[in-house]
């Protein structure tokens, strides 16, 4: 770190996500008094990389407003974000400029498409460990603007500082993130993670993870910790080692935390990894299933999902008490109509309660985008994708920003069909019950008395929101009674999943309206017209 860098008041701002995004389950957060699911880990990592003599404040616009006075206080405003935050991010740059302050922009979306953020004064691209130092050097010299590109070698995360968890108000969030690794060894064609972070997983050391857990514990945090890695098991031997360390740490501290993460489906290959996850009290895993069709999986280069018995894999994960949430995508090139029925069957048979189902989106700077561009099929007009066609950018509402192989309207009809089936109350509550019946949870987490009281209060609110409603009341009580008799240890988890229905009911309605309504939803006729023109242009 450079020293000295002139004293600065730095305001870190995290822009809003779409109000009905798949991951924006505020209604469920509200049940336990929280405001948003996850804390802005990237920004608090940046905060730890800034000179610690600076005054630093954080405003997460997902949990509270940004006041003009906050901007006026600051010398520099740092904004970080992802693609779903782009619209708000850009508005925020204008707002900060209107108050005469300079903006430092960074994070995954500015790194993927810096030209979109050209209005920012400083663009700190790639991983902050790499580019924050040249930015600080210029800032120290009084240089008023600059673009800082990452070097050829990705930074070692074993040098990353402990994020500034002290800047967070823990009660605003349902979970707090810890990052163990960056990068993924696989090669899915649509994925931007491997472009941003590479295919060689880089991991933190056991000592770093212990220090981060210690820090959270010392600051008084208890409850859900999410390993935010895009693929926690990208380097399996190190993932196993870290799980052992986490279990030891938890035992020593009487299990104040439980964990979740995201991983590829090969986590179900062999017992050792799953056993270690269970021993560490890892309770949720998000898995990208994408498609039930082997040929489609091969064409998207997701070979790790092929040649396996998916339902057996899922059962092996449930056997360790781990709930599986999964992602599915429609809109791949060689898809045919039956794909909709197969997705519904896979979700149902797999007892997957939380299924994120969306349209294929050619993200900036991916193999898919490069291929579609070569084939002359990529839409050039990004604003059409961002606002005109879909209203808001989100994994479940944005996509098909290219000339599709089968009719666009048919793909959208299929998505709507899948959403209606999967999030029909009977289908959803049936899955919750069936998942509860097979989930062999041996939870070790010891909630505090305060947490227990909060959970009890949340249950009472849930009774009003689901148990006394005509559409869900019968299913809610049927599930509770059935599981209380058959598998009482799984009642709490099933109740958590049922609570998520408060969000999914609204989110599904929103997505379907957006996709099928004339305004402001996708204008299918217009897009088909664009598709035809694009095709004509492509074929010369
Ligand atoms: S497994 Fe996940 S993180 Fe890895 S390349 Fe595929 S989509 Fe990306």
């Amino acid at each position: 770190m450079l020293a000295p860098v002139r004293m600065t008041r730095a305001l870190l701002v995290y822009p809003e996500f779409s109000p009905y995004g798949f991951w924006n389950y505020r209604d469920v957060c509200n049940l336990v008094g929280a405001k948003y699911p996850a804390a802005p880990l990237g920004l608090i990592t940046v905060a730890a990389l800034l000179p610690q003599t600076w005054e630093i404040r954080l405003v997460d616009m997902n949990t509270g407003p940004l006041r003009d006075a906050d901007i006026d206080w600051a010398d520099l405003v740092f904004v970080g974000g992802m693609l779903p935050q782009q619209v708000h991010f850009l508005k925020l740059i204008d707002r900060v400029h209107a108050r005469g302050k300079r903006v430092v922009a960074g994070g995954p979306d500015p790194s993927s498409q810096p030209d979109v953020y050209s209005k920012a004064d400083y663009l700190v691209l790639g991983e902050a460990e790499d580019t924050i130092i040249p930015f600080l050097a210029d800032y120290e010299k009084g240089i008023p603007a600059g673009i800082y590109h990452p070097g050829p070698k990705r930074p070692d995360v074993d040098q990353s500082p402990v994020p500034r968890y002290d800047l967070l108000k823990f009660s605003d969030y349902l979970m707090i993130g810890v990052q163990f690794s960056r990068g993924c060894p696989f090669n899915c064609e649509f994925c931007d993670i491997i472009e941003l972070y590479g295919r060689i997983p880089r991991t933190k050391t056991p000592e770093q993870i212990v220090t981060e857990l210690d820090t959270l514990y010392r600051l008084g945090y208890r409850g859900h910790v999410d390993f935010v890695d895009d693929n926690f098991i990208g380097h399996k031997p190190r993932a196993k080692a870290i799980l052992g360390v986490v279990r030891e740490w938890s035992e020593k501290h009487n299990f104040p935390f439980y964990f979740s993460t995201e991983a590829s489906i090969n986590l179900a290959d062999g017992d050792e990894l799953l056993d270690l996850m269970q021993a560490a009290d890892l309770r949720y895993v998000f898995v990208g299933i994408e498609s039930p069709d082997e040929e489609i999986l091969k064409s998207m280069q997701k070979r790790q999902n092929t040649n396996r018995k998916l339902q057996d894999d899922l059962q092996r994960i449930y056997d360790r008490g781990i709930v599986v949430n999964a992602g599915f995508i429609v809109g791949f090139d060689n898809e045919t109509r039956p794909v909709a029925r197969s997705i519904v069957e896979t979700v149902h048979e797999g007892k997957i309660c939380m299924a994120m189902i969306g349209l294929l989106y050619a993200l900036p700077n991916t193999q898919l985008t490069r291929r579609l561009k070569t084939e002359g099929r990529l839409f050039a007009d990004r604003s059409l994708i961002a606002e005109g066609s879909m209203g808001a950018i989100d994994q479940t509402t944005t996509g098909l920003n290219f000339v599709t192989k089968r009719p666009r309207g048919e793909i959208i009809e299929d998505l709507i069909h899948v959403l209606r089936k999967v999030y029909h109350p009977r289908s959803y509550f049936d899955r919750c019950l069936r998942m509860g019946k097979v989930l062999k949870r041996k939870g070790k987490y010891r909630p505090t008395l305060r947490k227990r009281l909060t959970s009890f209060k949340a249950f009472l609110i849930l009774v009003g929101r689901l148990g006394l409603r005509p559409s869900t009341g019968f299913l809610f009580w049927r599930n509770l009674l059935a599981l209380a008799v058959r598998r009482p240890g799984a009642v709490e988890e099933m109740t958590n999943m049922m609570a998520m229905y408060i969000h999914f009911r609204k989110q599904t309605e929103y997505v379907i309206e957006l996709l099928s309504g004339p305004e402001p939803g996708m204008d299918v006729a217009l897009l088909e017209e664009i598709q035809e023109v694009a095709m004509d242009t492509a074929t010369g």
Side-chain angles (χ1 to χ4, degrees):
M1 186 58 61
L2 290 175
V5 179
R6 63 192 147 106
M7 175 56 201
T8 297
R9 284 192 288 223
L11 176 67
L12 277 54
V13 187
Y14 200 49
E16 297 108 303
F17 284 90
S18 158
Y20 291 105
F22 182 86
W23 297 111
N24 193 353
Y25 39 95
R26 279 170 204 261
D27 286 349
V28 181
C29 297
N30 292 344
L31 292 176
V32 290
K35 294 179 179 164
Y36 192 73
L41 184 65
L43 272 182
I44 59 171
T45 303
V46 168
L49 289 161
L50 294 175
Q52 296 304 295
T53 47
W54 285 14
E55 271 186 72
I56 299 175
R57 284 187 192 169
L58 172 74
V59 174
D60 179 354
M61 295 178 76
N62 297 285
T63 60
L66 172 69
R67 300 166 307 156
D68 286 344
D70 295 320
I71 303 174
D72 295 344
W73 167 86
D75 298 312
L76 268 182
V77 179
F78 289 74
V79 188
M82 300 186 265
L83 180 64
Q85 293 159 289
Q86 190 187 98
V87 174
H88 292 293
F89 197 139
L90 295 174
K91 283 185 189 157
L92 191 53
I93 295 176
D94 291 339
R95 186 175 160 197
V96 173
H97 280 165
R99 301 201 74 78
K101 297 298 165 86
R102 279 180 287 166
V103 174
V104 186
D109 199 39
S111 300
S112 290
Q113 35 190 356
D115 52 315
V116 174
Y117 295 86
S118 56
K119 286 189 293 188
D121 304 272
Y122 301 97
L123 266 174
V124 181
L125 308 175
E127 296 173 57
E129 289 87 347
D130 199 11
T131 42
I132 205 100
I133 291 181
F135 153 71
L136 287 172
D138 277 3
Y139 177 67
E140 175 72 355
K141 286 183 221 150
I143 296 172
I147 302 179
Y148 305 90
H149 292 277
K153 186 181 173 294
R154 294 178 202 279
D156 295 324
V157 287
D158 59 9
Q159 302 299 316
S160 287
V162 178
R164 286 281 307 271
Y165 289 115
D166 57 297
L167 294 172
L168 299 175
K169 187 177 169 203
F170 291 137
S171 58
D172 280 349
Y173 302 100
L174 221 49
M175 66 187 96
I176 301 295
V178 167
Q179 187 173 48
F180 163 56
S181 71
R182 289 183 204 160
C184 172
F186 296 115
N187 194 27
C188 306
E189 192 194 29
F190 58 83
C191 176
D192 64 344
I193 298 304
I194 47 180
E195 310 286 339
L196 286 165
Y197 304 112
R199 291 186 57 199
I200 301 172
R202 291 161 290 140
T203 55
K204 288 184 181 168
T205 62
E207 293 73 28
Q208 280 174 291
I209 296 299
V210 164
T211 307
E212 294 192 20
L213 296 179
D214 277 342
T215 305
L216 284 173
Y217 187 79
R218 184 173 41 77
L219 291 169
Y221 183 67
R222 303 290 183 270
H224 187 168
V225 172
D226 182 43
F227 282 110
V228 299
D229 311 24
D230 296 295
N231 189 357
F232 181 76
I233 61 162
H235 192 298
K236 269 193 184 181
R238 288 190 210 153
K240 287 177 187 172
I242 219 69
L243 286 165
V245 168
V246 169
R247 179 188 52 77
E248 265 174 42
W249 184 93
S250 294
E251 273 172 4
K252 228 183 269 171
H253 294 81
N254 199 22
F255 288 92
F257 303 142
Y258 61 95
F259 300 90
S260 61
T261 197
E262 191 165 329
S264 43
I265 189 65
N266 61 324
L267 91 155
D269 299 346
D271 290 331
E272 192 190 355
L273 181 64
L274 289 172
D275 289 343
L276 286 163
M277 285 180 159
Q278 182 176 35
D281 209 356
L282 194 146
R283 297 181 169 199
Y284 306 96
V285 65
F286 182 90
V287 177
I289 293 176
E290 325 302 2
S291 174
D293 184 313
E294 288 273 315
E295 291 311 310
I296 296 173
L297 289 168
K298 282 181 198 156
S299 71
M300 72 173 89
Q301 299 166 196
K302 195 145 190 145
R303 291 191 175 264
Q304 68 274 23
N305 283 33
T306 61
N307 295 321
R308 48 175 67 250
K309 292 183 176 155
L310 179 65
Q311 298 302 337
D312 293 352
D313 290 339
L314 296 175
Q315 186 53 54
R316 290 159 53 70
I317 302 172
Y318 293 136
D319 284 345
R320 300 327 194 278
I322 301 169
V323 174
V324 180
N325 305 318
F328 294 85
I329 300 172
V330 290
F332 289 105
D333 274 358
N334 46 353
E335 233 172 47
T336 51
R337 276 243 106 148
V339 78
R341 203 183 58 230
S342 315
I343 292 178
V344 173
E345 280 169 12
T346 305
V347 171
H348 186 70
E349 283 168 28
K351 309 163 195 76
I352 298 163
C353 301
M354 287 175 61
M356 185 173 85
I357 305 150
L359 295 165
L360 181 63
Y361 186 19
L363 291 162
N365 196 21
T366 55
Q367 297 175 79
L368 174 65
T369 292
R370 292 192 283 274
R371 173 169 68 80
L372 291 169
K373 217 175 190 169
T374 311
E375 294 172 5
R377 294 169 56 198
L378 191 72
F379 290 171
D381 187 355
R382 266 192 299 235
S383 62
L384 174 81
I385 307 310
E387 292 186 276
S389 66
M390 288 298 196
I393 304 176
D394 176 65
Q395 290 94 332
T396 46
T397 55
T398 310
L400 303 188
N401 53 338
F402 55 89
V403 177
T404 51
K405 283 266 167 97
R406 65 182 176 123
R408 174 175 295 274
E410 190 180 296
I411 299 172
I412 291 167
E413 260 175 46
D414 280 353
L415 175 63
I416 292 173
H417 171 82
V418 174
L419 290 172
R420 282 199 203 287
K421 289 278 178 195
V422 165
Y423 287 108
H424 186 279
R426 180 166 286 280
S427 169
Y428 186 87
F429 281 77
D430 281 358
R431 292 201 302 281
C432 291
L433 178 59
R434 291 171 48 246
M435 184 276 298
K437 282 180 182 170
V438 297
L439 190 76
K440 297 180 188 151
R441 170 74 53 83
K442 293 180 194 159
K444 295 173 180 168
Y445 164 60
R446 298 276 166 271
T448 57
L449 179 63
R450 194 172 167 178
K451 288 260 179 201
R452 283 177 204 275
L453 290 173
T454 305
S455 299
F456 181 66
K457 194 173 146 205
F459 179 76
L460 295 181
I461 301 170
L462 200 57
V463 168
R465 305 280 297 273
L466 294 176
L468 302 179
R469 291 270 166 94
S471 60
T472 51
F474 166 74
L475 299 164
F476 179 82
W477 293 111
R478 177 204 69 177
N479 280 9
L480 283 179
L481 288 174
L483 214 60
V485 174
R486 294 276 298 272
R487 194 180 281 280
V491 168
E492 187 186 347
E493 192 53 62
M494 183 191 63
T495 308
N496 290 341
M497 286 296 126
M498 293 198 295
M500 289 300 296
Y501 192 69
I502 294 173
H503 168 65
F504 289 130
R505 176 169 51 195
K506 274 193 199 167
Q507 204 254 343
T508 304
E509 274 170 22
Y510 169 76
V511 174
I512 291 176
E513 195 187 323
L514 199 65
L515 294 178
S516 55
E519 282 294 328
M522 173 175 265
D523 185 337
V524 174
L526 171 68
L527 284 172
E528 276 176 350
E529 201 182 304
I530 290 166
Q531 175 150 329
E532 265 172 42
V533 173
M535 236 8 212
D536 286 349
T537 317
T539 52

